[in-house]
Every structure is written in structure tokens, then in C-alpha cells.
Amino acid sequence: MNKKIVILPGDGIGKEVTAEGKRVLQKVADVFDHSFVFEEAQIGHEAIEATGNPLPDESLMKLKDCDAILFGAVGHPKYDNDPTLKVRPEQGLLKMRKELGLYANLRPIKLFDELLGASSIKPEILKGSDILFFRELTGDVYFGEKGKKDDGNTAYDLMIYQRFEIERIAHKAFAAARTRKKKVVSVDKANVLESSRLWRQVVTEVGQHYPDVQLEHQFVDAAAMKLIQNPRSFDVVLTGNLFGDILTDEASQIAGSMGMLASASVGDTVGLYEPIHGSAHDITGQGIANPLASILSAALLLDISFGWKEESEMIIRAVEQALKKGYRTRDIRDAATDEKKILSTSEMGRVVRDEMERIAKTQWA
Ligand code: NAD
């Protein structure tokens, strides 16, 4: 099966981890006799430096003409330290989401048992946690009107949602809940925000089409607390762009590290897969970034965009095996970790590919 995949490494550790995600996809092609055509495109700081544009037309054309996208991250300290810069890496990201209609961001938060000790949360609270976030991605304060007035002394970002934007992601969340524990928690701030009151009303209406799925509404502040207090009480979480951004970073602690969490952004066209972490300048170039979020993003890509469950499962099992054998990157080590098994980014990628090879051999022996 010939599939075209665009690799969009972006900036910082985005490049380092995406290289490993791509190698794992190539391994899948070898093992299952598929054929992938990989194309590279630029985005973010790298694209600004090369063209002055955080998402050049050439990149956008490639993204619109492929079967799936594996993305790294964008960002650079230059922009973080100077908010006055007008052309910024994240504009490329927002434009890409809007242009490709990627309105639903799926973030599975599942803890590998081997990493129970790596989280800052107690193991007995964490064990068995399995949450699927649906974060709305093309609305909210990120895309509402923004501006400054009063000589720069007042600034605003409009929090705005339209009915159709809420309906389409709510349907996706309820449909997914049907294949899981049949429970949706919708997160908003309806006690204060008008846009949240519309959110709650529309989600309730959509929920009526799924009578077999239990719906609960929570305010974002309470949800933030309950996520840490009792993560096992959640199944599917449905929320807007801003609240989803914050809650999923918080929930990364359930999985042990930002370096473990993959995400899928889907909508009407092509799917985009990426780690939830950013470009992590503090560790860029050191070869110590955890590539597992990118590798698990590749697994999501095969499952969601191509419907290849077996291929996707093989990657997840290979990651599990690597962890079971004690291999770790620095961000997921704990007191019990054997120092000799702390691996670099590329070493961890190689260990996962070796495990895939092993699984393939034992399955077909
Ligand atoms: P970050 O996710 O890059 O890093 C947060 C912390 O987690 C850092 O200490 C980092 O070292 C660690 N970390 C992240 N990924 C890791 C991995 N794979 N392995 C090991 N450790 C890892 O967030 P930040 O520091 O707030 O932002 C850095 C830059 O990334 C900023 O410019 C920001 O705008 C950008 N950013 C981009 C995206 C994106 O492209 N989707 C998302 C978030 C932040």
C-alpha cells in the first residue's frame, strides 16, 4: 500500500524526536511490506529564517496533498523572550490547523505500568488511569478577535464559540465514548462565561443522541483538581481549546512525562500527529529528548488515518517491551532505574525498532 506521509520536524527537539518517529514508520513498512513516500516540509522558526513565513505556501501545498502528517514542534527562545516580534513560529501552527480544518485534537493519556514510579502522583492513585481528551482546536481565544488599545495598556482576546464548532467535536467525543467506558465529562466555565454556557447547552443537546453514554459537566477549576485527585474517574474528556491546552499538560503527569504523550489532530481532511510537548530549548541538541511521544504519534497515525490496527499495536507493544526491560530516557527515570539503561534519543528509537523486529519474528515464527 503506497501512502504519502509528510514529515514536519519544526524546531528544537521537534527535529530530534520526529526523526525517530519516521524511522519507526519505516520499520512498519519493512515488516508489513507497505510502501511509504516521505516528504519533508518546513514550519515555525526554521521556516521564518528560510522564507520569512512560519508556514510557507510550499509547505501548505505539501500538507494538503498527502495521506497523513507527522509533526514535531515549533518554537524558539528568540520569540519567547520578545513578545513584540510580529512574525512568530506558533502562527504557522495555528494557520496549519485552520487551513487543514483540524478541529479535533485527541490526546490519549494512558499510563504504562512500568512508569508508575516516574510520575509525581502516587502510584495507587494513578494505576489504571486511561483518559481520552477531545480538545477543540480551531476556535476559542486562540482565533477570536485580539488587540490592544489605550496606548498598549489594555489587551484582549475574544473567547468565542459557534454552535457548529461545538456540535462537531461533541459528536466525535460521544462516538469515541461508545467504544470505551461510555462516559463523557464536558469541561467548561459556565458559571462565568457566556461561551461556556453555549458550550454546555450544545453538548447536552448532542448528548441526547447518545443515550447510552453518561454525560457529566464539570467546571474547569474543579476538573483540574479531580484529574490529580482521582484520574481513574475520567474516561472521555471533552473541552475547548484553552482549557484543553492547560488540562492536557496537567494530565501529562499522569503518564509520567510530556515526553510520553502523543496526539492526533483530525477534522475533515488529512490527519496530523504530534507529541503534546513543545520544542524544549532547554534540552535541544543534547540528544536526551524522549522520542516515545513521537513514536506513539506514529502509532496513532497508522490507526486513525490508515485504520491499520495491527501495525499500530505493534509499535505500542514495542514501547511497552522497551520500558519493561528497564530502558528509559532521563525524563522518565526513577529511583529504581539502572543508570546503564538511560538512553539517548536515538538509542531509545533503536531499542523500540529492535522490539518491533522481535515481535514480528515471534508472531510469524
Ligand atoms: P516544552 O513542552 O517544550 O517543555 C516543557 C518541559 O518538558 C521542558 O523542561 C522540557 O525539557 C520537557 N520536555 C518536553 N518534551 C520532552 C521530551 N520529549 N523529552 C524530555 N523532556 C521533555 O514547553 P515549553 O518549555 O513551555 O516551551 C518551549 C517552546 O515550545 C516554546 O517556544 C513554546 O512556544 C513551544 N511550544 C510548542 C508547541 C507545539 O509546537 N505544539 C507546544 C508547546 C510549546
Side-chain angles (χ1 to χ4, degrees), residues 202-217:
V202 174
V203 169
T204 304
E205 286 168 18
V206 171
Q208 284 160 4
H209 296 277
Y210 303 83
D212 51 325
V213 178
Q214 182 198 340
L215 169 63
E216 186 188 331
H217 298 282

Side-chain angles (χ1 to χ4, degrees), residues 234-253:
F234 293 90
D235 178 25
V236 170
V237 179
L238 165 63
T239 190
N241 205 344
L242 179 63
F243 300 152
D245 194 356
I246 299 164
L247 290 180
T248 51
D249 265 27
E250 181 193 358
S252 73
Q253 284 313 296

Side-chain angles (χ1 to χ4, degrees), residues 7 23 202 205 215 220 249 266 269 296 319 330-331 336 364:
I7 306 289
R23 287 192 185 111
V202 174
E205 286 168 18
L215 169 63
V220 62
D249 265 27
V266 297
T269 58
L296 292 168
V319 169
R330 276 158 202 276
D331 55 309
W364 298 331

Side-chain angles (χ1 to χ4, degrees), residues 13 73-76 80 258-259 274 277-283 290 331:
I13 65 163
V74 294
H76 191 274
D80 298 345
M258 301 271 279
E274 60 175 307
H277 62 72
S279 47
H281 322 300
D282 53 339
I283 57 167
N290 183 347
D331 55 309

Side-chain angles (χ1 to χ4, degrees), residues 181-200:
K181 295 188 205 128
K182 299 189 170 52
K183 183 178 174 194
V184 170
V185 170
S186 175
V187 177
D188 59 39
K189 188 75 182 163
N191 49 341
V192 180
L193 302 171
E194 202 58 60
S195 55
S196 276
R197 282 192 274 274
L198 179 67
W199 179 278
R200 191 171 279 221

